[in-house]
Amino acid sequence: MAEDSIDRHIAHWSRELADLDPDVEGAITRMQTLVGFLRQRREAALKARHLKGWEYDILWRLRSTGPPYQATPTWLARALNTHPATLTSRLDRLERSGHLARTHDPSDRRRLLVALTEKGHAAWEGTIEDQAAAEHTLLAPLTADEREHLSGLLRKVVTTIEATGPPLMPPVERP
């Protein structure tokens, strides 16, 4: 198998650290580097749509609610772990840009609902399509069996960690 930049990194640090485990260092450094690669692709996809990460996060949370893709600001603040005042200013910006709309709840006019607009849907879908393309490009050198095997190995690591703590992936909950 061909040598990569991580192999050279490990070779260097193996001379400095006698007890360095090259398999652990290799796996962790490769995962961190690949996540960085995907993060750069995500930022490029967001920039192409004139979105910031927090804007995408709000669109994603709204999209995760399912049709009609709306939620109360209180639910959004909790789901995004954001202070309500911070969320209000962010919702103002997204509403001005046309990505979402706020309306009164027809069943209780005292409550506001935040909903994705067509522009918000299009921005979310375009960004997720770009991310999916980057992920497929990243794993293109692997066969379907190898991708399944890799996913299974990583699942084993995640389930072990989650057995003694909270889920690593926050749940997608409906309002």
Side-chain angles (χ1 to χ4, degrees):
M1 190 166 293
E3 182 179 83
D4 66 9
S5 59
I6 311 303
D7 291 320
R8 292 184 291 281
H9 162 84
I10 293 168
H12 169 80
W13 286 105
S14 292
R15 291 187 295 273
E16 299 290 326
L17 304 167
D19 61 344
L20 181 73
D21 183 329
D23 291 328
V24 171
E25 183 69 14
I28 298 300
T29 304
R30 284 183 180 92
M31 285 189 289
Q32 290 172 331
T33 303
L34 294 172
V35 166
F37 171 84
L38 290 173
R39 188 172 288 123
Q40 289 173 349
R41 296 305 181 272
R42 179 181 189 255
E43 291 303 317
L46 291 172
K47 187 175 181 178
R49 286 164 187 80
H50 309 288
L51 290 174
K52 299 195 179 312
W54 59 263
E55 291 172 313
Y56 175 80
D57 292 343
I58 292 171
L59 299 179
W60 175 82
R61 272 294 173 188
L62 284 171
R63 182 60 187 247
S64 74
T65 65
Y69 307 110
Q70 63 186 16
T72 65
T74 302
W75 182 88
L76 274 173
R78 190 182 78 252
L80 293 164
N81 195 27
T82 303
H83 190 277
T86 301
L87 181 68
T88 297
S89 68
R90 291 177 175 184
L91 294 178
D92 289 344
R93 180 175 169 160
L94 283 166
E95 188 170 35
R96 280 193 306 273
S97 68
H99 289 95
L100 59 79
R102 287 183 276 199
T103 59
H104 288 281
D105 185 340
S107 65
D108 182 353
R109 303 266 314 142
R110 294 169 296 173
R111 276 181 18 152
L112 277 180
L113 293 174
V114 179
L116 283 178
T117 62
E118 288 301 318
K119 184 176 181 179
H121 279 285
W124 181 84
E125 288 169 1
T127 305
I128 204 72
E129 287 170 4
D130 288 352
Q131 289 178 4
E135 292 166 2
H136 281 86
T137 298
L138 180 72
L139 296 181
L142 303 178
T143 66
D145 287 344
E146 289 170 329
R147 288 190 304 272
E148 182 180 352
H149 185 69
L150 175 61
S151 184
L153 291 172
L154 293 172
R155 182 180 302 105
K156 185 176 182 178
V157 173
V158 170
T159 57
T160 300
I161 292 168
E162 289 181 342
T164 59
L168 296 179
M169 175 66 75
V172 179
E173 49 186 68
R174 296 180 67 109

